[in-house]
Amino acid sequence: MRIAIAGAGAVGRSIASELIEAGHTVLLIERLSRQFTPEVVEAAEWVLGDACEMSTLEASGIERCDVVIAATGDDKVNLVLALLAKTEFAVRRVVARVNNPANEWLFNESWGVDVAVSTPRMLAAMVEEAVSVGDLVRLMTFRKSQANLVELTLPEETPLAGTPVERLNLPRDAALVAILRGERVIVPQPDDPVEGGDEVLFVAPETVEPELRTALGR
């Protein structure tokens, strides 16, 4: 994919390096000359300019990008870029960084945001995931569908041990997307059993989370 990243600070450069390593074409847009350092991520294309300016976006060819990532440290900039990318340049997928949790409610499809990434929320979720056994932890919200990526670690003594996935009494709108068992990532098949200590990942709307807890013994 061709991916544009606005903000070439530490976050933007790290994202760019990861995406390039994965085989994607990356365009970095940076407003500040002191952070315009093409030699740091040489494989990326670099544009010096304001990502909130139409002229900068036009010159960078942002309409040819499959994904735009608004990764600056300013929520206002990220929102404006998201809106321009989606409404003016018809970019298919827009991901935006949320710096201040108080602004998180703004990062939705009304502002052109498909996926909002809140660092404080993600860190909190990772802490919960690390210490929680037997309860749902919400890792991410998909803004467009209002579904959540949720995780639950089954207790070692779970009565569900050995139960095939097809026999789990899961809510209709909850999709089991992965089972993490030790170092293995299992794409669940109907006859795959769950075991104590498994981390199970679901995509589900908030409305069915109580049913999901019940189905998993909580």
Side-chain angles (χ1 to χ4, degrees):
M1 294 188 294
R2 180 175 173 81
I3 302 167
I5 302 171
V11 173
R13 294 195 303 268
S14 296
I15 296 170
S17 297
E18 292 284 342
L19 292 172
I20 290 168
E21 189 174 336
H24 301 293
T25 300
V26 174
L27 167 70
L28 272 166
I29 304 172
E30 176 53 53
R31 179 177 63 86
L32 301 175
S33 56
R34 68 174 181 273
Q35 290 188 172
F36 189 78
T37 53
E39 68 279 4
V40 175
V41 189
E42 293 182 346
E45 301 174 31
W46 286 72
V47 171
L48 180 62
D50 189 339
C52 292
E53 295 287 342
M54 290 287 290
S55 57
T56 300
L57 300 180
E58 289 169 353
S60 66
I62 203 168
E63 71 280 357
R64 295 185 283 111
C65 292
D66 302 290
V67 181
V68 165
I69 302 174
T72 79
D74 188 323
D75 285 346
K76 295 188 295 296
V77 171
N78 292 343
L79 284 170
V80 170
L81 172 58
L83 187 62
L84 290 175
K86 183 68 72 173
T87 60
E88 298 295 328
F89 296 94
V91 175
R92 182 170 56 88
R93 194 77 168 164
V94 177
V95 179
R97 172 187 176 188
V98 184
N99 296 279
N100 184 346
N103 297 329
E104 192 171 356
W105 66 277
L106 289 166
F107 286 72
N108 55 37
E109 60 184 5
S110 298
W111 278 92
V113 178
D114 295 304
V115 178
V117 180
S118 171
T119 302
R121 180 179 292 275
M122 288 187 69
L123 287 172
M126 292 302 103
V127 171
E128 286 188 68
E129 190 274 337
V131 301
S132 299
V133 174
D135 200 5
L136 287 180
V137 177
R138 189 176 300 168
L139 301 178
M140 180 182 293
T141 298
F142 301 97
R143 296 289 180 178
K144 201 162 189 178
S145 64
Q146 290 301 302
N148 300 312
L149 177 64
V150 297
E151 181 269 353
L152 183 141
T153 300
L154 294 174
E156 292 291 343
E157 68 281 3
T158 177
L160 296 175
T163 303
V165 167
E166 63 183 350
R167 291 179 54 194
L168 296 176
N169 188 26
L170 300 176
R172 178 178 178 181
D173 293 332
L176 176 59
V177 295
I179 299 172
L180 308 182
R181 182 175 297 154
E183 296 182 354
R184 295 180 61 199
V185 178
I186 301 169
V187 179
Q189 303 301 313
D191 57 349
D192 286 334
V194 295
E195 301 293 347
D198 283 354
E199 294 180 62
V200 286
L201 298 176
F202 293 87
V203 174
E206 183 176 358
T207 52
V208 305
E209 287 181 10
E211 296 176 58
L212 194 53
R213 288 187 179 93
T214 299
L216 296 172
R218 293 294 296 178

Coordinates of all heavy atoms in Angstrom, one line a residue, residues 128-194:
E128 N -4.3 -3.4 31.8 CA -5.4 -4.2 32.2 C -5.2 -5.6 31.7 O -5.5 -6.6 32.4 CB -6.7 -3.7 31.7 CG -7.3 -2.4 32.4 CD -8.7 -2.1 31.9 OE1 -9.6 -2.9 32.2 OE2 -8.8 -1.1 31.2
E129 N -4.8 -5.7 30.4 CA -4.6 -7.0 29.8 C -3.6 -7.9 30.5 O -3.7 -9.1 30.7 CB -4.3 -6.8 28.3 CG -4.3 -8.1 27.5 CD -3.0 -8.9 27.5 OE1 -2.0 -8.2 27.8 OE2 -3.0 -10.1 27.3
A130 N -2.6 -7.2 31.0 CA -1.5 -7.9 31.7 C -1.9 -8.4 33.0 O -1.3 -9.4 33.5 CB -0.3 -6.9 31.8
V131 N -2.8 -7.8 33.7 CA -3.1 -8.2 35.1 C -4.5 -8.8 35.2 O -4.8 -9.3 36.3 CB -3.0 -7.0 36.0 CG1 -1.6 -6.4 36.0 CG2 -4.1 -5.9 35.7
S132 N -5.3 -8.8 34.1 CA -6.7 -9.3 34.2 C -6.8 -10.7 33.7 O -6.3 -11.0 32.6 CB -7.7 -8.4 33.4 OG -7.7 -7.1 33.9
V133 N -7.4 -11.6 34.5 CA -7.7 -12.9 34.1 C -9.1 -13.2 34.3 O -9.7 -12.9 35.4 CB -6.8 -14.0 34.9 CG1 -7.3 -15.4 34.5 CG2 -5.3 -13.8 34.6
G134 N -9.8 -13.6 33.3 CA -11.2 -13.9 33.4 C -12.2 -12.8 33.2 O -13.4 -13.0 33.4
D135 N -11.7 -11.6 32.8 CA -12.7 -10.5 32.5 C -12.3 -9.9 31.2 O -11.1 -10.0 30.7 CB -12.6 -9.5 33.6 CG -13.9 -8.6 33.6 OD1 -14.8 -8.9 32.8 OD2 -14.0 -7.7 34.4
L136 N -13.3 -9.3 30.5 CA -13.1 -8.7 29.2 C -12.2 -7.4 29.4 O -12.5 -6.6 30.3 CB -14.4 -8.3 28.6 CG -15.2 -9.5 28.0 CD1 -16.5 -8.9 27.4 CD2 -14.5 -10.3 27.0
V137 N -11.3 -7.2 28.5 CA -10.5 -6.0 28.4 C -10.7 -5.4 27.0 O -10.5 -6.1 26.0 CB -9.0 -6.2 28.6 CG1 -8.2 -4.9 28.4 CG2 -8.8 -6.8 30.0
R138 N -11.1 -4.2 26.9 CA -11.4 -3.5 25.6 C -10.1 -2.9 25.1 O -9.5 -2.1 25.7 CB -12.4 -2.5 25.7 CG -12.9 -1.9 24.4 CD -14.0 -0.9 24.5 NE -15.2 -1.5 25.2 CZ -16.2 -0.8 25.7 NH1 -16.2 0.5 25.6 NH2 -17.2 -1.5 26.2
L139 N -9.6 -3.4 23.9 CA -8.3 -3.0 23.4 C -8.4 -1.9 22.4 O -7.5 -1.0 22.3 CB -7.6 -4.2 22.8 CG -7.3 -5.4 23.7 CD1 -6.6 -6.5 22.9 CD2 -6.4 -5.0 24.8
M140 N -9.5 -1.9 21.6 CA -9.6 -0.9 20.6 C -11.1 -0.8 20.1 O -11.8 -1.8 20.2 CB -8.8 -1.3 19.3 CG -8.8 -0.3 18.2 SD -7.8 -0.9 16.8 CE -6.2 -0.8 17.5
T141 N -11.5 0.4 19.7 CA -12.8 0.6 19.2 C -12.7 1.0 17.7 O -11.9 1.8 17.3 CB -13.5 1.8 19.9 OG1 -13.7 1.4 21.3 CG2 -14.9 2.0 19.3
F142 N -13.5 0.3 16.8 CA -13.5 0.6 15.4 C -14.7 1.6 15.2 O -15.8 1.3 15.4 CB -13.8 -0.7 14.6 CG -12.7 -1.8 14.8 CD1 -12.9 -2.8 15.7 CD2 -11.6 -1.7 14.1 CE1 -11.9 -3.7 15.9 CE2 -10.6 -2.7 14.3 CZ -10.8 -3.7 15.2
R143 N -14.3 2.8 15.0 CA -15.2 3.9 15.0 C -16.4 3.8 14.0 O -17.5 4.1 14.3 CB -14.5 5.2 14.7 CG -13.5 5.6 15.8 CD -14.2 6.0 17.1 NE -13.2 6.3 18.1 CZ -13.5 6.8 19.3 NH1 -14.8 6.9 19.7 NH2 -12.6 7.0 20.2
K144 N -16.1 3.3 12.8 CA -17.1 3.2 11.8 C -18.3 2.3 12.2 O -19.4 2.6 11.9 CB -16.5 2.8 10.5 CG -17.3 3.2 9.2 CD -16.5 3.2 8.0 CE -17.3 3.8 6.8 NZ -16.5 3.8 5.6
S145 N -17.9 1.1 12.7 CA -18.9 0.1 13.1 C -19.3 0.2 14.5 O -20.3 -0.4 14.9 CB -18.4 -1.3 12.8 OG -17.3 -1.6 13.6
Q146 N -18.6 0.9 15.4 CA -18.8 1.0 16.8 C -18.6 -0.4 17.5 O -19.2 -0.7 18.5 CB -20.1 1.6 17.1 CG -20.2 3.0 16.8 CD -19.2 3.9 17.6 OE1 -19.2 3.8 18.8 NE2 -18.4 4.6 16.9
A147 N -17.9 -1.3 16.8 CA -17.5 -2.6 17.4 C -16.2 -2.4 18.1 O -15.4 -1.5 17.9 CB -17.4 -3.7 16.4
N148 N -15.9 -3.3 19.1 CA -14.7 -3.3 19.9 C -13.9 -4.5 19.7 O -14.4 -5.6 19.4 CB -15.0 -3.1 21.4 CG -15.8 -1.9 21.7 OD1 -15.5 -0.8 21.2 ND2 -16.9 -2.1 22.4
L149 N -12.6 -4.4 19.7 CA -11.7 -5.5 19.9 C -11.5 -5.8 21.3 O -11.0 -4.9 22.0 CB -10.3 -5.2 19.2 CG -9.3 -6.4 19.3 CD1 -9.8 -7.6 18.5 CD2 -7.9 -5.9 18.7
V150 N -11.9 -6.9 21.8 CA -11.9 -7.2 23.2 C -11.1 -8.5 23.5 O -11.1 -9.4 22.6 CB -13.3 -7.3 23.9 CG1 -14.0 -6.0 23.8 CG2 -14.1 -8.4 23.2
E151 N -10.5 -8.6 24.6 CA -9.6 -9.7 25.0 C -10.1 -10.3 26.3 O -10.5 -9.5 27.2 CB -8.2 -9.3 25.0 CG -7.2 -10.4 25.3 CD -6.9 -10.5 26.8 OE1 -7.4 -9.7 27.6 OE2 -6.2 -11.5 27.2
L152 N -10.0 -11.6 26.5 CA -10.2 -12.2 27.7 C -9.2 -13.4 27.9 O -9.0 -14.2 27.0 CB -11.7 -12.8 27.8 CG -12.0 -13.4 29.2 CD1 -13.4 -13.0 29.6 CD2 -11.9 -14.9 29.1
T153 N -8.6 -13.4 29.1 CA -7.7 -14.6 29.4 C -8.5 -15.6 30.2 O -9.0 -15.2 31.3 CB -6.5 -14.1 30.1 OG1 -5.7 -13.1 29.3 CG2 -5.5 -15.3 30.4
L154 N -8.6 -16.8 29.7 CA -9.4 -17.8 30.4 C -8.6 -18.3 31.6 O -7.3 -18.5 31.5 CB -9.6 -19.0 29.5 CG -10.6 -18.7 28.3 CD1 -10.6 -19.9 27.4 CD2 -12.0 -18.4 28.8
P155 N -9.2 -18.4 32.8 CA -8.5 -18.9 33.9 C -7.9 -20.3 33.7 O -8.5 -21.1 32.9 CB -9.6 -19.0 35.0 CG -10.6 -18.0 34.5 CD -10.6 -18.1 33.0
E156 N -6.9 -20.7 34.3 CA -6.3 -22.0 34.1 C -7.3 -23.1 34.5 O -7.3 -24.2 33.8 CB -5.0 -22.2 35.0 CG -3.9 -21.3 34.6 CD -3.2 -21.7 33.3 OE1 -3.5 -22.8 32.8 OE2 -2.5 -20.9 32.7
E157 N -8.2 -22.9 35.4 CA -9.1 -23.9 35.8 C -10.5 -23.7 35.2 O -11.5 -24.2 35.6 CB -9.3 -23.8 37.4 CG -10.0 -22.6 37.9 CD -9.1 -21.4 38.0 OE1 -7.9 -21.5 37.6 OE2 -9.6 -20.4 38.5
T158 N -10.6 -23.0 34.0 CA -11.8 -22.8 33.4 C -12.6 -24.1 33.1 O -12.0 -25.1 32.6 CB -11.6 -22.0 32.1 OG1 -12.9 -21.8 31.4 CG2 -10.7 -22.7 31.1
P159 N -13.9 -24.1 33.3 CA -14.7 -25.3 33.0 C -14.8 -25.5 31.4 O -15.3 -26.5 31.0 CB -16.0 -25.0 33.6 CG -16.1 -23.6 33.8 CD -14.7 -23.1 34.0
L160 N -14.4 -24.5 30.7 CA -14.5 -24.6 29.2 C -13.4 -25.3 28.6 O -13.4 -25.5 27.4 CB -14.6 -23.2 28.6 CG -15.8 -22.3 29.0 CD1 -15.7 -20.9 28.4 CD2 -17.1 -23.0 28.5
A161 N -12.4 -25.6 29.4 CA -11.2 -26.3 28.8 C -11.6 -27.6 28.0 O -12.4 -28.4 28.5 CB -10.2 -26.7 30.0
G162 N -11.1 -27.6 26.8 CA -11.4 -28.8 25.9 C -12.6 -28.6 25.1 O -12.9 -29.5 24.3
T163 N -13.3 -27.5 25.3 CA -14.6 -27.3 24.6 C -14.3 -26.8 23.2 O -13.6 -25.7 23.0 CB -15.5 -26.3 25.3 OG1 -15.8 -26.7 26.6 CG2 -16.8 -26.1 24.5
P164 N -14.8 -27.4 22.1 CA -14.5 -26.9 20.7 C -15.2 -25.5 20.6 O -16.2 -25.2 21.2 CB -15.2 -27.9 19.8 CG -15.3 -29.2 20.7 CD -15.5 -28.7 22.1
V165 N -14.6 -24.7 19.7 CA -15.1 -23.4 19.4 C -16.6 -23.4 19.0 O -17.4 -22.6 19.4 CB -14.3 -22.7 18.4 CG1 -14.9 -21.4 17.8 CG2 -12.9 -22.3 18.9
E166 N -17.0 -24.4 18.2 CA -18.3 -24.5 17.7 C -19.3 -24.7 18.8 O -20.5 -24.5 18.6 CB -18.4 -25.5 16.6 CG -18.2 -26.9 17.1 CD -18.2 -28.0 16.0 OE1 -18.7 -27.6 14.9 OE2 -17.8 -29.1 16.2
R167 N -18.9 -25.2 20.0 CA -19.8 -25.5 21.1 C -19.9 -24.4 22.1 O -20.6 -24.5 23.1 CB -19.4 -26.8 21.7 CG -19.7 -28.0 20.8 CD -19.3 -29.3 21.4 NE -19.9 -29.5 22.8 CZ -19.5 -30.4 23.7 NH1 -18.5 -31.2 23.4 NH2 -20.1 -30.5 24.8
L168 N -19.1 -23.3 21.9 CA -19.2 -22.2 22.8 C -20.5 -21.4 22.5 O -20.8 -21.2 21.4 CB -18.0 -21.3 22.6 CG -16.6 -21.8 22.9 CD1 -15.5 -20.8 22.6 CD2 -16.5 -22.2 24.4
N169 N -21.2 -21.1 23.5 CA -22.5 -20.4 23.4 C -22.3 -18.9 23.2 O -22.6 -18.1 24.1 CB -23.4 -20.8 24.6 CG -24.8 -20.3 24.4 OD1 -25.2 -20.1 23.2 ND2 -25.5 -20.0 25.4
L170 N -21.7 -18.5 22.1 CA -21.3 -17.1 21.9 C -22.5 -16.3 21.4 O -23.3 -16.9 20.6 CB -20.1 -17.0 20.9 CG -18.8 -17.8 21.3 CD1 -17.8 -17.7 20.2 CD2 -18.3 -17.2 22.6
P171 N -22.5 -15.0 21.7 CA -23.6 -14.2 21.1 C -23.4 -14.1 19.6 O -22.3 -14.2 19.0 CB -23.3 -12.8 21.7 CG -22.4 -13.1 22.9 CD -21.6 -14.3 22.6
R172 N -24.6 -13.9 18.9 CA -24.6 -13.9 17.5 C -23.6 -12.9 16.9 O -23.0 -13.1 15.8 CB -26.0 -13.6 17.0 CG -26.2 -13.6 15.5 CD -27.6 -13.3 15.1 NE -27.8 -13.2 13.7 CZ -28.9 -13.0 13.1 NH1 -30.0 -12.9 13.8 NH2 -29.0 -12.9 11.8
D173 N -23.5 -11.7 17.5 CA -22.7 -10.6 16.9 C -21.3 -10.6 17.4 O -20.6 -9.6 17.1 CB -23.4 -9.3 17.2 CG -24.7 -9.1 16.4 OD1 -24.9 -9.8 15.4 OD2 -25.6 -8.4 16.9
A174 N -20.8 -11.6 18.1 CA -19.5 -11.7 18.6 C -18.7 -12.6 17.7 O -19.0 -13.8 17.6 CB -19.4 -12.1 20.1
A175 N -17.6 -12.1 17.1 CA -16.7 -13.0 16.3 C -15.4 -13.3 17.0 O -14.7 -12.3 17.3 CB -16.5 -12.2 15.0
L176 N -15.1 -14.5 17.2 CA -13.9 -15.0 17.7 C -12.8 -14.9 16.6 O -12.9 -15.7 15.6 CB -14.0 -16.4 18.3 CG -12.7 -17.0 18.8 CD1 -12.1 -16.2 20.0 CD2 -13.0 -18.5 19.3
V177 N -11.8 -14.0 16.7 CA -10.9 -13.8 15.6 C -9.5 -14.5 15.9 O -8.8 -14.8 14.9 CB -10.7 -12.3 15.4 CG1 -12.0 -11.7 14.9 CG2 -10.2 -11.6 16.6
A178 N -9.2 -14.7 17.1 CA -7.9 -15.4 17.4 C -7.8 -16.0 18.8 O -8.5 -15.5 19.7 CB -6.7 -14.4 17.2
I179 N -7.0 -17.0 18.9 CA -6.7 -17.6 20.2 C -5.2 -17.5 20.4 O -4.5 -18.0 19.5 CB -7.2 -19.1 20.3 CG1 -8.7 -19.2 20.1 CG2 -6.8 -19.7 21.6 CD1 -9.2 -20.6 20.0
L180 N -4.7 -16.9 21.4 CA -3.3 -16.8 21.7 C -3.0 -17.8 22.8 O -3.5 -17.8 23.9 CB -2.9 -15.4 22.1 CG -3.4 -14.3 21.2 CD1 -2.9 -12.9 21.8 CD2 -2.9 -14.5 19.8
R181 N -2.1 -18.8 22.4 CA -1.8 -19.9 23.4 C -0.2 -20.0 23.4 O 0.4 -20.5 22.5 CB -2.4 -21.2 22.9 CG -2.2 -22.4 23.9 CD -2.9 -23.6 23.4 NE -4.3 -23.4 23.4 CZ -5.2 -24.0 22.6 NH1 -4.8 -24.9 21.7 NH2 -6.5 -23.7 22.7
G182 N 0.3 -19.5 24.5 CA 1.8 -19.4 24.6 C 2.3 -18.5 23.5 O 1.9 -17.3 23.3
E183 N 3.2 -19.0 22.6 CA 3.7 -18.3 21.5 C 3.0 -18.5 20.2 O 3.3 -18.0 19.2 CB 5.2 -18.6 21.3 CG 6.1 -18.2 22.5 CD 7.5 -18.6 22.2 OE1 7.9 -19.2 21.2 OE2 8.4 -18.2 23.1
R184 N 1.9 -19.3 20.3 CA 1.1 -19.6 19.1 C 0.0 -18.6 18.9 O -0.6 -18.2 19.9 CB 0.5 -21.0 19.2 CG 1.5 -22.1 19.2 CD 0.8 -23.5 19.3 NE -0.1 -23.7 18.2 CZ -1.1 -24.6 18.2 NH1 -1.4 -25.3 19.2 NH2 -1.9 -24.7 17.1
V185 N -0.3 -18.3 17.6 CA -1.5 -17.5 17.3 C -2.4 -18.5 16.5 O -2.0 -18.9 15.4 CB -1.1 -16.3 16.4 CG1 -2.4 -15.6 16.0 CG2 -0.2 -15.4 17.2
I186 N -3.5 -18.8 17.0 CA -4.4 -19.8 16.4 C -5.6 -19.1 15.7 O -6.3 -18.3 16.4 CB -4.9 -20.8 17.4 CG1 -3.7 -21.5 18.1 CG2 -5.9 -21.8 16.8 CD1 -4.1 -22.4 19.3
V187 N -5.8 -19.3 14.4 CA -7.0 -18.8 13.8 C -8.0 -19.9 14.0 O -7.9 -21.0 13.5 CB -6.7 -18.6 12.3 CG1 -8.0 -18.1 11.6 CG2 -5.6 -17.6 12.0
P188 N -9.0 -19.6 14.8 CA -9.9 -20.7 15.3 C -10.7 -21.3 14.2 O -11.4 -20.6 13.4 CB -10.7 -20.0 16.4 CG -10.7 -18.5 16.0 CD -9.4 -18.3 15.4
Q189 N -10.7 -22.6 14.2 CA -11.6 -23.4 13.4 C -12.7 -24.0 14.3 O -12.5 -24.1 15.5 CB -10.9 -24.6 12.7 CG -9.7 -24.0 11.8 CD -10.2 -23.1 10.8 OE1 -11.1 -23.4 10.1 NE2 -9.5 -22.0 10.6
P190 N -13.9 -24.5 13.8 CA -15.0 -24.9 14.6 C -14.6 -26.0 15.6 O -15.1 -26.1 16.7 CB -16.0 -25.4 13.6 CG -15.7 -24.6 12.4 CD -14.2 -24.4 12.3
D191 N -13.6 -26.9 15.2 CA -13.3 -28.0 16.1 C -12.1 -27.8 17.0 O -11.7 -28.7 17.7 CB -13.1 -29.3 15.3 CG -12.0 -29.2 14.2 OD1 -11.6 -28.0 14.0 OD2 -11.6 -30.2 13.6
D192 N -11.5 -26.6 16.9 CA -10.4 -26.2 17.8 C -10.9 -26.0 19.2 O -11.9 -25.2 19.5 CB -9.7 -24.9 17.3 CG -8.9 -25.1 16.1 OD1 -8.4 -26.3 15.9 OD2 -8.7 -24.2 15.4
P193 N -10.3 -26.7 20.2 CA -10.7 -26.5 21.6 C -10.1 -25.3 22.3 O -9.0 -24.9 21.9 CB -10.3 -27.8 22.3 CG -9.0 -28.1 21.5 CD -9.3 -27.7 20.1
V194 N -10.7 -24.7 23.2 CA -10.1 -23.7 24.0 C -9.5 -24.3 25.3 O -10.0 -25.4 25.7 CB -11.1 -22.5 24.5 CG1 -11.6 -21.8 23.2 CG2 -12.3 -23.1 25.2

